[in-house]
Amino acid sequence: MSDALLITGAGQLLTLRGRGARRGKALSALGIIRDGALLIRDGLIVAVGTTKHIEALRESRGAEKLDLAGRVVLPGFVDSHTHLVHAASRAEEYELKIRGASYEEIARKGGGILNSVRKLRAATAEALEARALGALEQFAACGTTTIEAKSGYGLDVASELKILSLHRRLAARQPIEVCSTFLGAHVVPAEYRGETDGAERYIRLLTETLIPEVAHGGLAEFCDVFCDRGAFTREQTRRILSTGMEFGLAPRLHAEQLSHTGATQLAVSLGAASCDHLEQVNRADIAALGKSKTVATLLPGCDFHLGLKKYAPARALIEADAIVALATDYNPGTSPTVSMAMILSLACSQLRMTPAEAICAATINGAYALRREREIGSLEAGKLADLAVFEVADYREIPYYFGMNVCAMTLKRGRVIYAAD
Ligand code: NIG
Ligand code: FE
């Protein structure tokens, strides 16, 4: 008996076929097959084409069948920037912000990231796991099949290792792939503030103790730094990321979110996997990204949630040939959403990306940002059978219906991990 799955009748099957990351005009090429079908075996895609063609294949005989009755199929979303593990919401700060306090004012008074650090340190590993599992179920329900997850709400040795170990446990306990990033350099923790050399002492803890431990334990693939006003300077960022690289952790950065620091140029010069946010980039930064392999990851959920008017210059980045990706930045302070479809809606209405560009940015370019473009991000023979089915007749309706979940089914490695009732 065959263990193959034959999916037929996709009104539009968005293959996103083609090699590697997408830039410029290639960002619009969805490789759509009408009345599309896929043959899957052992979690991998064996063949992609029209229903007529794939049904006629000898390998399709005896396969279990799933007919999609005209629904739209695309590669599962690859959410390349999340802060998955945190203890609680910051709804109280949300209200303060609505009443006029800025994100940075709240942070200066000990709220913001430090608020989440206090909550995380007080939480049990079981409570953190339960919350993260709940979020992962929601990611699956929204069509996401791979996420990146950052530490960064622990900021001491035990708490950071607790988060990173949880990433590993979560990866083993549920189907969504979790790529782990060490973000010990989120901000300088409270106990190191108030002394002139506090930041320096904390950076030494990161470079001399934490990065070596994380690397030796195989607890992360990437090292990230929040390079911004109120967090880490460009020179501090360079030191931390360089140490990470010596230990085999690939760099990625939070860059030019609240102020311009030069983090983008640093990212490009280090060959970082991505630099994320980019609301404050200048023309030279845009040009540098256009010539580099560092992905420009845009996180419009932050500006939306914080009520900020200045979004990242997506059009200029696309025109300059930068590799643009989109991600949720799921976190309790600036972007409490797991919905990539909502991010697509914001990318279209606020960043003026077309639905096709936004879908490429949320799949194949997200995969490239996580250095997984050979395995995921498009629907092609040999890749993982990670896909999302939407209850729409046209892919443009995915961003069009904003704030609604039109995901009908999600498959990870050929297995149904979510089905709407
Ligand atoms: O990506 N900018 C830094 N880190 C997060 C926010 C973290 C928080 O406020 O808890 C971000 O926006
Ligand atoms: Fe972030």
Side-chain angles (χ1 to χ4, degrees), residues 54 167 192 205 331 354:
I54 301 298
H167 290 167
Y192 285 82
L205 177 77
N331 79 76
T354 65

Side-chain angles (χ1 to χ4, degrees), residues 81 83 90 93 97 103 112-114 116 150 153 183 186 226 228 254 257-258 277 299 302 306 329 331-335:
H81 185 139
H83 302 253
R90 301 212 302 264
E93 292 182 1
K97 282 179 269 195
Y103 177 74
I113 293 168
L114 293 180
S116 287
K150 303 175 194 297
Y153 292 123
L183 177 60
H186 206 178
F226 182 18
D228 216 321
H254 281 71
Q257 179 188 16
L258 308 168
H277 284 289
L299 310 167
C302 293
L306 296 176
D329 195 9
N331 79 76
T334 65
S335 192

Side-chain angles (χ1 to χ4, degrees), residues 200-277:
E200 180 55 33
R201 286 200 301 117
Y202 184 61
I203 292 168
R204 284 212 302 274
L205 177 77
L206 293 175
T207 55
E208 291 169 14
T209 306
L210 259 163
I211 288 175
E213 275 213 40
V214 168
H216 289 141
L219 290 171
E221 249 176 270
F222 299 99
C223 184
D224 193 343
V225 178
F226 182 18
C227 181
D228 216 321
R229 189 163 67 197
F232 294 88
T233 66
R234 186 174 53 174
E235 281 323 301
Q236 291 170 335
T237 302
R238 183 198 304 279
R239 270 176 65 197
I240 297 161
L241 292 178
S242 302
T243 305
M245 288 167 80
E246 284 165 30
F247 282 89
L249 303 177
R252 52 191 335 122
L253 284 83
H254 281 71
E256 334 289 10
Q257 179 188 16
L258 308 168
S259 62
H260 188 271
T261 61
T264 303
Q265 300 286 349
L266 174 64
V268 169
S269 72
L270 292 175
S274 72
C275 60
D276 305 23
H277 284 289

Side-chain angles (χ1 to χ4, degrees), residues 299-362:
L299 310 167
C302 293
D303 307 293
F304 174 76
H305 179 76
L306 296 176
L308 303 176
K309 302 285 177 276
K310 190 174 174 189
Y311 284 81
R315 289 261 50 98
L317 286 160
I318 293 169
E319 273 150 37
D321 274 345
I323 304 170
V324 172
L326 288 164
T328 60
D329 195 9
Y330 170 63
N331 79 76
T334 65
S335 192
T337 184
V338 297
S339 169
M340 284 296 279
M342 180 65 195
I343 298 304
L344 297 188
S345 298
L346 294 172
C348 294
S349 69
Q350 306 303 309
L351 303 181
R352 316 312 290 182
M353 291 172 73
T354 65
E357 290 171 335
I359 287 173
C360 276

